Amino acid sequence: MSNPVPVSNPPARAPLLQAIGITKLYGSFLANDSIDLDLFTGEIHALLGENGAGKSTLVKTMYGLIQPSAGELRWMGEKLELSGPSDARGRGIAMVFQHFSLFDNLTVAENVALGLDGVESFAAMSARLAQVSRDYGLPLDPNREVWRLSVGERQRIEIVRALMQNPKLLILDEPTAVLTPQEADQLFTVLFRLKSEGRALLYISHKLDEVKRLCDTATILRGGKKISTCDPRQETAASLARLMVGAEIGEVKATTARATTIPRLLINDLSLEPDDPHGVLLKGVSVEVKGGEILGIAGVAGNGQDELFAVLSGERFAEHEDNVIIDGHAAGHLTVTDRRRLGAAFVPEERLGHGTAPRMKLSENALLTGHAASHMVNHGFVDRPKTLETVDKTTKTFDVRKAKRDPEAASLSGGNLQKFIVGREILREPGVLIVSQPTWGVDAGAAAVIRQALLDLSGRGSAVLVISQDLDELAEIADRIAVMFHGHLSEPIAAADATREKLGLLMGGASAAASGGEKEAMHAVGA
Amino acid sequence: MQLVLEKRAERSTKIAILSPLLAIALTLVTMSILFAILGKNPIAALYVYFVEPLTDSFTLMEIAVKATPLVMIAVGLSLCYLANVWNIGAEGQFIMGAVCGSYLAVVTNGTGAGPWVLPAMLVMGAAGGALWAMIPALCKVRYGANEILTSLMLVYVADLIMDYLVRGPWRDPKGMNFPTTASFDPVATVPTLFETGRLHWGAIVALIVVALAAVMLGRTIKGFEIRVVGAAPRAARFAGFSSDRLVLFTFAVSGALAGLAGIIEVAGPVGVLQPGISPGYGFTAIIVAFLGRLNPVGILIAGLFLALTFIGGEGAQISMKIPLDLTKVFQGILLFYVLACDSLILYRIRLIATPKKAIHGTA
């Protein structure tokens, strides 16, 4: 393990918020194990760690959402006992959550009003909202309904709402997870300004390049313990990753030069009305995926990826049956089961409740997608040994860690469950695999296993379509990358030519077809 | 201090088995208090309710007779409830089964028809119940109508149809104007199992239904489909299972079983079609289904237990002048406790200290 350089703070500076020996027990599970952390004004402090390392528990303690089992917080040197988030806000601690808590049918101003504790009038609040958003270069139209806004704009609401409390400490939980690279850059400008205003920022992330660029100090958590506090600018991304994971991460490699063959998945001029009022209309999506190829679909969440997955998997039917062609068969009007029988396999984004039934055993979850094409069902009767065999095979091939042979799906960690779901499909040797966010919220080790498995599958001649928001992931495994924006799919570009800038522009709708929400909102505010 | 419900990591199988027993115990305590308020000795009343019927071979057989329709209906309902389909109208399906099957008994009455009559009646009974159940099922699938309301309301429609028939076209001409059909011929009657008592072949049918349902739920892909659609609807759709088709299937099966129970009841112990053929079997079966953990074998046990309360209630009315309606009170309290105790399968109760109020204004 590398020796991180300790940060030397001038002794005169006292920390704004000090966490001393914070410990949180859930039953017998130690989520936080006596963690110390000092946050200073005028500093951006990164909190790094894999999923389950204890980052969320720690910041929820600082925001008054949970009470620590042991240890204490000190606010400007005095002992701090928070009774709840409003208490935290009252003292000047604000937080921007990863998952937005916004009401889609209300306007921006109404949403902000709901989240503030103050007594000022709605009109005064609206004016202040416009003022703050203008001051910080975060354009927002107070009168626009939230459902019309892009994800980046929704995040702006959360940030502006936090800034309107004039916080001394701002906590941001993975704020760039949903942003295009350009939007992230805009956010960084705001964060640097907040720092220069003498506020303290706690920045939670697992994107190491960002942390190196942005943060003055980084604290790394692993397994609920603090591993180290260091200056990220003096570390390499690799050394930070080692500290986070506690081991070297294997590099993902394509086995051989893959020979792309005939197109195995064809999407032809696919248009589809959304089935709920806030859904996205798919407009003339066309693309082909050849055997031996991985096609990546990038894009900010909520630009039609969910709709595309549903219509490819058969959970929704296409308008015409030749909108979707799987291995030469028009599949647009086939059910999920029939598409599986054609040799297609699907991995949805949501692991629990969509990819698996959470309260059912793994063997039953193997049957969930296996009943169509594998020999798990004889004359209507389930062959239980066969389903267990699939569980064992998946466990062995993909290193799925679990407490017993056949536990409930919900009892597995995110990474292990994802390995099971991807493994379950890959073991069937599908000719066409469509997978959405294959490593979303998965630890680095599991992510490497999954990406390698996707590469190997395409190496064996299958066509793989990967929908992902993670540009690094797509750069690592995809041969060509297309971008989804407002229900349009761009022309795919070779991965070698797909720079972050190029993709970022497409993700923001830079192509000719782009227009709509974002620009209008900017106009309205600028006027 | 405050009580909080805390989610368990995995469902507790221990509590899943203990929950009905705990519910029964709590019900008995509540009933004792009720008996005391009514001025009856609770111990004596509970003895009459729950022990006395078990001491006599005649009442033991009567328990099986009462349990037969309860178990058959509840098995069908459990399939619906497992699939998150809320058929509350089994009582109406029971009645329509009885009506449709009785049609044959009425038109062949006194004609000396052959032994084909009873099997045909059973088929028609099951078909009648299934068709009646298809009304709410189709309304739900086609128009999104809430099946709880539609299936329940159709109970009263079925009841009035039967009432009209036995007072009108099907009334026994020699029945001294009582609203009842003529007594069924022997070929239209379910034979009894023994020389004495009313225990009939329907009880065997109920046992077969339990066995078939257990195999279907545990071993077949259809049973798996039912459980997945109920437990994780989105995953079920991803698996390629259509929830609409399953609504039709579970309603059809539960309607057929309720209808079969209905025709067996009138062609068996009752022997005529008349109002009041059911003391609320279709509703009591809802309690049986939940008390039996929506599990066929559990339902068999729960059905016998609920039948015991019917018999015990009659005994208590005769020997202690306790109103028969108290049996319904008992059943209602029992369902309440079963559902309440079930929350402990996924949650645990914890007593925690209230956090101290923080002092404001230090910043």
Side-chain angles (χ1 to χ4, degrees):
Chain A
M1 198 178 288
S2 78
N3 250 341
V5 181
V7 180
S8 54
N9 289 304
R13 280 177 71 207
L16 175 72
L17 180 76
Q18 214 179 356
I20 303 166
I22 294 292
T23 299
K24 179 68 189 177
L25 270 166
Y26 287 110
S28 60
F29 174 68
L30 253 181
N32 278 175
D33 187 357
S34 57
I35 293 175
D36 298 329
L37 188 73
D38 293 345
L39 300 178
F40 295 90
T41 54
E43 195 180 275
I44 304 181
H45 192 122
L47 190 57
L48 283 169
E50 294 214 275
N51 291 291
K55 293 171 297 183
S56 302
T57 306
L58 184 62
V59 296
K60 279 181 187 161
T61 309
M62 294 178 173
Y63 194 53
L65 279 166
I66 42 186
Q67 305 288 329
S69 312
E72 65 173 43
L73 296 172
R74 288 200 187 148
W75 182 247
M76 299 190 289
E78 284 180 42
K79 188 170 172 173
L80 177 69
E81 276 186 31
L82 294 168
S83 63
S86 65
D87 191 13
R89 286 194 291 267
R91 288 155 194 270
I93 302 172
M95 180 154 172
V96 175
F97 288 93
Q98 187 180 8
H99 299 286
F100 308 145
S101 41
L102 297 170
F103 296 94
D104 279 353
N105 289 322
L106 298 185
T107 65
V108 172
E110 285 164 343
N111 267 290
V112 170
L114 282 169
L116 291 179
D117 305 314
V119 288
E120 65 188 324
S121 76
F122 186 75
M125 195 279 311
S126 279
R128 202 155 65 85
L129 166 67
Q131 178 74 35
V132 170
S133 75
R134 211 164 26 239
D135 279 359
Y136 284 95
L138 293 165
L140 272 179
D141 177 356
N143 299 318
R144 220 173 153 82
E145 285 112 350
V146 167
W147 66 267
R148 295 172 181 277
L149 302 182
S150 72
V151 185
E153 288 172 298
R154 290 178 203 207
Q155 186 183 49
R156 269 181 228 155
I157 303 176
E158 296 275 359
I159 293 174
V160 168
R161 175 151 81 185
L163 291 180
M164 286 174 70
Q165 299 156 27
N166 194 20
K168 294 189 181 71
L169 168 63
L170 180 63
I171 303 170
L172 298 119
D173 190 358
E174 303 212 11
T176 57
V178 293
L179 300 183
T180 67
Q182 282 82 357
E183 284 175 319
D185 283 342
Q186 286 173 8
L187 175 68
F188 295 159
T189 313
V190 175
L191 297 186
F192 277 125
R193 176 157 164 212
L194 292 171
K195 174 184 156 182
S196 70
E197 288 173 350
R199 301 178 207 271
L201 284 94
L202 183 61
Y203 187 86
I204 302 169
S205 182
H206 57 235
K207 294 192 184 169
L208 302 171
D209 295 329
E210 271 178 16
V211 167
K212 277 175 63 62
R213 236 173 94 193
L214 194 65
C215 302
D216 307 284
T217 317
T219 292
I220 294 141
L221 302 185
R222 192 200 315 149
K225 287 194 181 70
K226 182 167 116 174
I227 297 301
S228 123
T229 295
C230 59
D231 182 344
R233 292 164 298 196
Q234 311 219 5
E235 300 282 328
T236 64
S239 68
L240 287 172
R242 246 195 325 272
L243 287 171
M244 265 169 68
V245 181
E248 292 286 344
I249 302 165
E251 212 171 305
V252 178
K253 278 197 203 88
T255 39
T256 49
R258 285 165 295 158
T260 51
T261 56
I262 41 147
R264 301 193 73 172
L265 173 69
L266 267 168
I267 306 172
N268 287 327
D269 194 24
L270 168 71
S271 295
L272 190 71
E273 292 285 333
D275 58 358
D276 77 286
H278 299 164
V280 177
L281 169 77
L282 294 180
K283 283 169 272 187
V285 174
S286 292
V287 79
E288 60 173 47
V289 192
K290 297 193 179 75
E293 179 189 44
I294 297 183
L295 177 84
I297 293 187
V300 173
N303 272 294
Q305 293 98 324
D306 295 347
E307 286 78 2
L308 181 65
F309 181 86
V311 77
L312 290 181
S313 69
E315 288 165 283
R316 288 193 65 197
F317 285 172
E319 206 167 296
H320 306 290
E321 67 175 356
D322 58 0
N323 282 151
V324 180
I325 294 177
I326 294 171
D327 264 340
H329 296 89
H333 289 172
L334 295 183
T335 62
V336 191
T337 304
D338 287 336
R339 291 182 203 205
R340 289 197 178 108
R341 288 188 179 135
L342 287 179
F346 313 97
V347 176
E349 174 180 352
E350 194 65 39
R351 284 187 280 280
L352 290 170
H354 193 180
T356 63
R359 293 286 174 190
M360 287 191 157
K361 292 179 173 160
L362 288 188
S363 59
E364 294 176 299
N365 277 304
L367 181 62
L368 194 71
T369 60
H371 71 90
S374 313
H375 301 287
M376 291 182 186
V377 182
N378 293 322
H379 306 293
F381 282 85
V382 177
D383 188 342
R384 270 194 276 194
K386 278 258 167 59
T387 62
L388 268 171
E389 209 175 280
T390 303
V391 175
D392 292 341
K393 245 194 230 163
T394 314
T395 305
K396 215 172 122 211
T397 319
F398 293 92
D399 184 31
V400 180
R401 312 222 176 126
K402 48 196 168 59
K404 49 185 177 187
R405 188 179 179 199
D406 196 14
E408 281 180 6
S411 71
L412 264 65
S413 76
N416 281 309
L417 185 58
Q418 187 72 4
K419 282 192 279 186
F420 170 77
I421 295 173
V422 173
R424 166 182 85 181
E425 304 303 329
I426 285 184
L427 278 182
R428 288 173 35 216
E429 284 297 321
V432 173
L433 177 69
I434 292 152
V435 38
S436 180
Q437 318 296 352
T439 61
W440 179 257
V442 161
D443 59 276
V449 171
I450 289 167
R451 288 172 191 164
Q452 187 64 56
L454 296 177
L455 278 171
D456 293 347
L457 179 71
S458 79
R460 294 193 295 271
S462 300
V464 179
L465 181 88
V466 178
I467 302 172
S468 177
Q469 286 179 62
D470 187 341
L471 292 184
D472 297 332
E473 171 170 84
L474 292 179
E476 205 173 311
I477 61 173
D479 299 291
R480 293 185 301 150
I481 299 174
V483 174
M484 202 142 206
F485 179 74
H486 284 194
H488 284 282
L489 189 67
S490 76
E491 277 293 319
I493 38 184
D497 306 331
T499 59
R500 295 184 78 83
E501 286 65 37
K502 220 184 233 177
L503 292 177
L505 288 173
L506 288 169
M507 284 161 74
S511 76
S515 69
E518 192 129 24
K519 279 179 191 158
E520 282 171 46
M522 289 193 183
H523 266 291
V525 173
Chain B
M1 301 294 269
Q2 69 189 107
L3 277 174
V4 289
L5 281 179
E6 212 176 66
K7 211 170 171 106
R8 292 175 193 269
E10 276 216 30
R11 45 183 293 131
S12 162
T13 22
K14 202 171 71 186
I15 303 275
I17 295 163
L18 280 180
S19 162
L21 301 178
L22 182 62
I24 289 173
L26 287 168
T27 309
L28 293 184
V29 171
T30 312
M31 286 301 285
S32 305
I33 296 169
L34 270 179
F35 287 136
I37 292 171
L38 287 170
K40 313 283 179 194
N41 178 355
I43 304 290
L46 289 180
Y47 180 84
V48 171
Y49 249 87
F50 298 109
V51 184
E52 211 171 67
L54 300 175
T55 58
D56 178 288
S57 69
F58 173 77
T59 46
L60 274 175
M61 266 198 265
E62 278 300 297
I63 289 171
V65 169
K66 292 272 187 212
T68 297
L70 286 178
V71 169
M72 283 169 68
I73 301 169
V75 165
L77 290 181
S78 69
L79 301 183
C80 293
Y81 300 160
L82 280 171
N84 248 338
V85 175
W86 299 100
N87 178 6
I88 305 297
E91 180 82 359
Q93 294 140 26
F94 177 93
I95 291 170
M96 287 315 279
V99 165
C100 290
S102 297
Y103 169 75
L104 266 190
V106 170
V107 295
T108 61
N109 197 270
T111 60
W116 58 270
V117 175
L118 181 65
M121 281 168 67
L122 297 184
V123 170
M124 285 185 67
L131 286 175
W132 199 247
M134 286 324 278
I135 301 172
L138 284 171
C139 286
K140 179 182 172 69
V141 171
R142 285 294 293 274
Y143 310 110
N146 184 321
E147 77 275 21
I148 298 178
L149 292 176
T150 50
S151 65
L152 177 64
M153 290 190 295
L154 283 167
V155 170
Y156 307 104
V157 178
D159 207 22
L160 291 171
I161 289 175
M162 177 178 69
D163 215 55
Y164 162 74
L165 290 173
V166 295
R167 286 174 204 279
W170 291 2
R171 189 173 56 188
D172 181 8
K174 295 176 230 123
M176 299 190 286
N177 266 340
F178 278 112
T180 166
T181 64
S183 288
F184 291 0
D185 290 336
V187 288
T189 305
V190 179
T192 54
L193 279 171
F194 305 110
E195 290 289 310
T196 57
R198 299 199 302 159
L199 190 60
H200 54 87
W201 278 92
I204 306 294
V205 175
L207 288 177
I208 294 171
V209 165
V210 166
L212 288 178
V215 170
M216 186 186 79
L217 278 176
R219 307 298 301 274
T220 68
I221 189 77
K222 196 76 196 172
F224 178 70
E225 183 179 339
I226 289 173
R227 288 183 292 127
V228 181
V229 167
R234 196 145 174 245
R237 193 156 62 141
F238 180 61
F241 300 143
S242 149
S243 66
D244 281 354
R245 270 198 344 241
L246 202 62
V247 167
L248 298 176
F249 175 82
T250 52
F251 255 104
V253 171
S254 65
L257 285 174
L260 187 61
I263 187 58
I264 286 176
E265 187 70 9
V266 291
V270 181
V272 295
L273 185 67
Q274 63 186 25
I277 50 168
S278 164
Y281 286 134
F283 295 116
T284 307
I286 298 172
I287 305 171
V288 173
F290 278 103
L291 190 64
R293 322 274 65 204
L294 305 181
N295 169 312
V297 178
I299 284 170
L300 180 61
I301 298 166
L304 288 167
F305 179 74
L306 263 292
L308 173 65
T309 67
F310 275 121
I311 305 295
E314 284 170 11
Q317 187 186 28
I318 293 163
S319 66
M320 295 184 75
K321 306 266 181 305
I322 292 173
L324 197 57
D325 285 340
L326 214 57
T327 304
K328 286 195 177 136
V329 173
F330 172 87
Q331 293 174 354
I333 294 173
L334 184 60
L335 178 63
F336 171 80
Y337 280 128
V338 169
L339 297 179
C341 291
D342 273 2
S343 57
L344 296 179
I345 297 173
L346 282 178
Y347 296 88
R348 72 174 101 238
I349 295 181
R350 284 254 292 222
L351 205 60
I352 57 159
T354 319
K356 271 175 274 173
K357 276 264 174 235
I359 304 108
H360 284 266
T362 36

